Amino acid sequence: MAKKLRYALITSVLALMVVFSAVVSACGSIKTKHPRAKITVEFNSKTYVIEYTLYRNMYPQTVQHFIELADNGFYNDMIVHNYTSSNWFTGAYSYNGASEASDYDSAFTAGSSSVRDYLEHNSKEAAYYDLFKAGKLTPSVYKKLSYDAKGNEKVAAEDALPALIGEFSSNDHKIKKNPVRAEYGVLKMFYYPKGDTNQKVAIKNSFGQLLEHDYKYNCATSVFAMQVSGSDSAYGEANYCTFARLRNDGERDKFNSLIEAVSDYITDELDGASGDFTRQVSVPVDTLDTFADEGGQAIETSFTTTQKPLIIKSVKITKY
């Protein structure tokens, strides 16, 4: 009897292993609550590899969006717009080294107008829209709600917008227990404010519900920020999705080393003050956002660029 029972248990375990293997094979990977991302940063000829925990259980669509962009190599060779601020924004412009006459260093030396031209020429907006049109990004925002014959709400695939739902409390995304706070070392998904437009969109939340909301809270694309201050009132978690933390104390130490290297470089440069360490330029953003254009929302924002570029070399998802 014992032998039969043991045999039955072994058979059951093997069957479960086969099913598990089939699921892994079919899906490519198992989705975890907390995927991980390794971000490789290059600054002043030194490389830093920092690992983050992504909170898919709290911010599923933001994390999925970030993973899809990373898996498609979108974030490779991105410029951090301004590392003299408390948030390092990246995800809009690629770095072009010394391979062309119009490289970043030459543009910076030539002056603000050349930097503006450089940023416009190296915008990643078109590449982002190409990924969306190719079906590489999962839709979560639609132009409008429509209705089926029974009056049930639905959305049409052709109405999908290349934008990301805003998973934060001001957009009715509530986390009951231990939400990720806007604190030192977190990653935040950023969006360019669309003004006080009355445009409405349909959003599909993580529960599959279809809701109508303001577009201005549901218009993020690819830009994310690494927070380097202890707290943040300007870009706090109530209005921006804070979706990742440094994975452990070891990763925090690596991040601290990067912060110290940047701080030391800034101090050294400013002590030798020529006044040319940063350049401030205004550039158009979201120029391919036709939905915003329909509402008359022309957007231009100011960037502070730095003489020595800080570059996101890659973002690799290490655990799904």
Side-chain angles (χ1 to χ4, degrees):
M1 182 69 181
K3 286 184 178 180
K4 287 184 179 180
L5 180 58
R6 192 159 49 242
Y7 177 79
L9 286 172
I10 291 171
T11 303
S12 297
V13 169
L14 288 173
L16 285 172
M17 289 175 67
V18 170
V19 171
F20 180 80
S21 177
V23 170
V24 172
S25 176
C27 300
S29 58
I30 294 298
K31 286 189 175 183
T32 65
K33 291 193 298 183
H34 304 308
R36 295 174 189 167
K38 279 186 179 178
I39 299 184
T40 300
V41 181
E42 183 180 281
F43 179 72
N44 202 17
S45 301
K46 188 172 180 180
T47 298
Y48 304 80
V49 181
I50 305 164
E51 192 166 15
Y52 294 82
T53 297
L54 309 179
Y55 287 84
R56 194 204 310 263
N57 60 324
M58 298 185 193
Y59 314 103
Q61 296 185 89
T62 302
V63 168
Q64 181 66 24
H65 189 77
F66 184 78
I67 287 174
E68 289 170 347
L69 288 170
D71 281 351
N72 282 283
F74 182 84
Y75 289 120
N76 295 354
D77 296 318
M78 286 286 195
I79 295 172
V80 170
H81 308 153
N82 179 17
Y83 54 73
T84 65
S85 69
S86 60
N87 287 280
W88 292 355
F89 294 104
T90 190
Y93 302 98
S94 59
Y95 176 71
N96 171 20
S99 60
E100 298 181 12
S102 59
D103 65 87
Y104 183 89
D105 299 333
S106 297
F108 198 94
T109 301
S112 295
S113 61
S114 293
V115 172
R116 177 188 170 100
D117 291 343
Y118 174 90
L119 293 181
E120 290 191 25
H121 180 71
N122 289 280
S123 169
K124 292 285 284 186
E125 186 179 6
Y128 175 87
Y129 277 74
D130 286 344
L131 283 178
F132 178 77
K133 288 184 287 187
K136 303 291 187 180
L137 305 177
T138 303
S140 59
V141 183
Y142 298 79
K143 286 186 179 181
K144 61 185 178 182
L145 285 174
S146 53
Y147 301 88
D148 62 20
K150 295 182 179 180
N152 298 315
E153 294 175 335
K154 66 175 186 176
V155 288
E158 60 268 23
D159 285 333
L161 293 172
L164 173 64
I165 187 175
E167 293 182 308
F168 43 81
S169 59
S170 291
N171 201 41
D172 295 330
H173 185 85
K174 309 292 185 184
I175 303 298
K176 291 183 179 180
K177 187 177 180 181
N178 299 326
V180 183
R181 303 295 183 188
E183 59 193 13
Y184 179 79
V186 298
L187 302 183
K188 298 178 283 190
M189 190 61 71
F190 183 73
Y191 60 93
Y192 298 113
K194 304 294 180 181
D196 294 325
T197 174
N198 289 323
Q199 286 176 292
K200 300 291 182 181
V201 293
I203 61 173
K204 183 185 289 185
N205 66 19
S206 55
F207 299 104
Q209 296 171 308
L210 296 175
L211 304 169
E212 190 176 67
H213 266 266
D214 289 339
Y215 180 55
K216 63 181 179 179
Y217 285 147
N218 300 285
C219 61
T221 54
S222 61
V223 177
F224 72 92
M226 307 166 77
Q227 185 170 319
V228 298
S229 63
S231 61
D232 192 342
S233 57
Y235 301 113
E237 69 273 2
N239 290 302
Y240 295 87
C241 183
T242 306
F243 65 95
R245 290 190 183 108
L246 294 165
R247 191 166 75 82
N248 53 33
D249 288 343
E251 302 308 316
R252 189 181 182 92
D253 289 343
K254 294 179 189 177
F255 192 64
N256 289 343
S257 295
L258 172 60
I259 301 299
E260 289 170 8
V262 170
S263 178
D264 290 345
Y265 181 84
I266 291 173
T267 300
D268 291 344
E269 285 299 305
L270 295 183
D271 281 347
S274 63
D276 290 330
F277 178 67
T278 61
R279 295 195 186 281
Q280 193 163 4
V281 296
S282 292
V283 292
V285 295
D286 287 357
T287 58
L288 299 179
D289 187 348
T290 55
F291 188 72
D293 288 344
E294 291 170 6
Q297 297 296 320
I299 305 167
E300 189 163 286
T301 193
S302 180
F303 287 95
T304 301
T305 57
T306 45
Q307 186 172 23
K308 176 71 69 176
L310 192 154
I311 307 160
I312 304 295
K313 295 300 293 180
S314 66
V315 177
K316 302 292 185 184
I317 308 303
T318 60
K319 180 182 176 183
Y320 283 84

